[in-house]
Structures are given as structure tokens and as C-alpha cells.
């Protein structure tokens, strides 16, 4: 379902997300340059939501509702000059991974345990975002390495569903331990660009550009 600026429920959720992450206490316009503060690539958030629609917004809100401190830590990292990344666009990517996990029945086991597909969806998404934070920060994430790091996090989310769900239980994302295979992963990331082709260096599918 796409974002409808004429739908009051959609607008309220969009504004609630802005207030939750930025600390603002005013009803901001649904379009404007202020949305780039959250990591949207333009003045209209709907442009970046093509891959996840309203589910992306709902999961962004749930990320904050699940653990507000961790959600803000991830958002703050995105605004750090040495680690910056488009927060909202990463959230959309995590939504796409979540949709694929649902389609491939990868969340069925957890959904059965929780007796809730919705809870399983939220847990996987939160875990995927925590994994992104962990990998991005430990690898010294920067936009020049974004394509490679996003591919690595996507691979982990696809192949380690149970680990993503466990990560959702972490109280403080800053305390996330390094996985056993992280040394190889980090060596590959830090070796950028020598380990990658020119095409890989220019690969920004992870951060799709908004249509004009």
C-alpha cells in the first residue's frame, strides 16, 4: 500500500515517526526538505517508499516503539559525519528483506512459536536493523562502502533468520558482540576498494535514488 498524503491515518503515522526520531513536537508538513533529516532522499517520503509502501513506515515506527533508545542510536549514527547514511532508505531496504523472508516462509517457525505473524515480522525487522547498525559501525561504514556493506547485511538477514530474531532482544545495540565470521567480513569491507570491481564500487542499488 503506497503512502497517501490524503489519508489521515497515513499522515498521522508519518508525522509520529518524524517526532519520535527527531524529538520535534509539532505537526510537520507531509512534504518538505525536513524529511531529508530522517534520511529520505527528497521532500516527498512517498518517493522512497516504493519498495515497502506503508509497511516501511509501520516498521520504522515499530523500531522506535520496540526500543526507543536503540532506534535513536541507529538514527543518530546516520547523522554522524564519519558514519552517515540515509536512515529512512536503509529502513526501506530492511522492509524489503522482511517481505522476502515472509514470502519464502522463513519466519514460519518463529510465527508459530509466537502465535503471531505480525510479531515475527516485527522481530525480524528489528533484528535486521540492529545487524545493520552493528556491521556498519564496526566496519567504519561510509557511503563509499555502502553497496558492499548492505550486500553483506542482506546476506546475513537472508541466511541467518534465527540470529536476526535473537538480535531483536538486545537491550543496547552498542553492546553487540562480533560474530565468529566477522573478522573475514570486516577484512573484506576494510579492504575496499581493492577487493571489489569498479562495478561493485558504483553499486548503489542498496540506496536507490528517488525519481525526479
Amino acid at each position: 500500500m503506497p503512502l497517501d498524503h490524503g489519508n489521515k491515518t497515513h499522515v498521522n503515522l508519518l508525522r509520529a515517526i518524524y517526532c519520535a526520531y527527531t524529538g520535534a513536537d509539532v505537526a510537520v508538513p507531509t512534504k518538505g526538505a525536513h524529511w531529508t533529516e530522517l534520511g529520505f532522499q527528497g521532500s516527498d517520503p512517498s518517493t522512497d517508499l516504493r519498495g515497502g509502501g506503508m509497511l516501511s513506515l509501520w516498521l520504522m515506527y515499530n523500531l522506535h516503539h520496540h526500543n526507543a533508545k536503540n532506534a535513536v542510536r541507529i538514527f543518530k549514527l546516520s547523522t554522524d559525519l564519519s558514519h552517515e547514511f540515509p536512515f529512512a532508505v536503509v529502513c526501506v531496504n530492511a522492509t524489503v528483506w522482511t517481505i522476502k523472508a515472509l514470502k519464502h516462509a522463513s519466519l514460519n517457525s518463529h510465527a508459530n512459536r509466537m502465535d503471531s505473524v505480525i510479531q515475527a515480522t516485527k522481530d525480524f525487522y528489528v533484528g535486521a536493523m540492529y545487524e545493520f547498525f552493528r556491521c556498519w559501525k564496526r566496519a567504519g561504514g561510509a557511503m563509499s562502502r555502502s553497496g558492499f556493506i548492505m550486500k553483506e547485511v542482506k546476506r546475513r538477514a537472508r541466511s541467518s533468520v534465527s540470529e536476526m530474531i535473537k538480535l531483536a532482544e538486545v537491550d543496547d545495540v552498542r553492546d553487540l558482540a562480533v560474530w565468529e565470521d566477522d573478522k573475514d567480513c570486516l577484512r573484506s569491507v576494510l579492504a575496499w576498494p581493492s577487493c571489489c570491481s569498479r562495478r561493485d564500487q558504483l553499486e548503489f542499488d542498496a540506496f536507490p535514488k528517488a525519481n525526479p
Side-chain angles (χ1 to χ4, degrees), residues 173-209:
V173 289
R174 296 172 299 182
D175 296 333
L176 287 174
V178 178
W179 286 14
E180 287 300 316
D181 61 343
D182 270 354
K183 292 182 180 179
D184 291 335
C185 169
L186 296 183
R187 274 197 294 268
S188 296
V189 174
L190 295 175
W192 186 281
S194 60
C195 67
C196 303
S197 66
R198 178 63 177 166
R199 179 179 179 181
D200 286 333
Q201 294 176 46
L202 298 177
E203 178 59 73
F204 284 98
D205 284 349
F207 299 122
K209 297 182 181 302

Side-chain angles (χ1 to χ4, degrees), residues 35-106:
W35 289 106
T36 59
E37 297 174 27
L38 271 185
F40 288 103
Q41 298 179 99
S43 60
D44 184 355
S46 64
T47 306
D48 287 328
L49 295 176
R50 294 187 304 272
M54 284 303 297
L55 180 60
S56 292
L57 290 184
W58 179 70
L59 288 173
M60 281 180 70
Y61 181 80
N62 175 73
L63 178 66
H64 191 277
H65 179 73
H66 179 82
N67 186 316
K69 290 183 178 180
N70 276 346
V72 171
R73 285 172 184 134
I74 299 173
F75 171 62
K76 290 296 184 183
L77 181 67
S78 76
T79 64
D80 186 307
L81 292 180
S82 61
H83 295 285
E84 62 183 345
F85 59 87
F87 175 71
V89 178
V90 171
C91 289
V92 173
N93 275 269
T95 300
V96 173
W97 303 337
T98 303
I99 292 173
K100 289 182 178 179
L102 285 167
K103 287 183 176 180
H104 296 160
S106 301

Side-chain angles (χ1 to χ4, degrees), residues 99-173:
I99 292 173
K100 289 182 178 179
L102 285 167
K103 287 183 176 180
H104 296 160
S106 301
L107 303 183
N108 284 5
S109 180
H110 185 55
N112 289 335
R113 285 196 302 272
M114 302 300 295
D115 194 26
S116 171
V117 173
I118 292 177
Q119 188 60 51
T121 300
K122 294 191 295 185
D123 288 346
F124 177 84
Y125 174 87
V126 169
M129 287 299 295
Y130 286 6
E131 171 64 3
F132 170 82
F133 174 91
R134 185 199 65 77
C135 192
W136 187 268
K137 188 171 184 180
R138 289 187 179 277
M143 287 304 296
S144 60
R145 298 171 177 165
S146 61
F148 184 84
I149 295 175
M150 286 297 288
K151 287 178 181 178
E152 176 62 19
V153 177
K154 178 181 178 181
R155 182 189 68 79
R156 289 180 182 276
R158 182 178 63 249
S159 64
S160 305
V161 172
S162 61
E163 292 296 336
M164 297 302 107
I165 291 171
K166 289 179 182 177
L167 285 176
E169 302 172 3
V170 172
D171 290 329
D172 189 334
V173 289

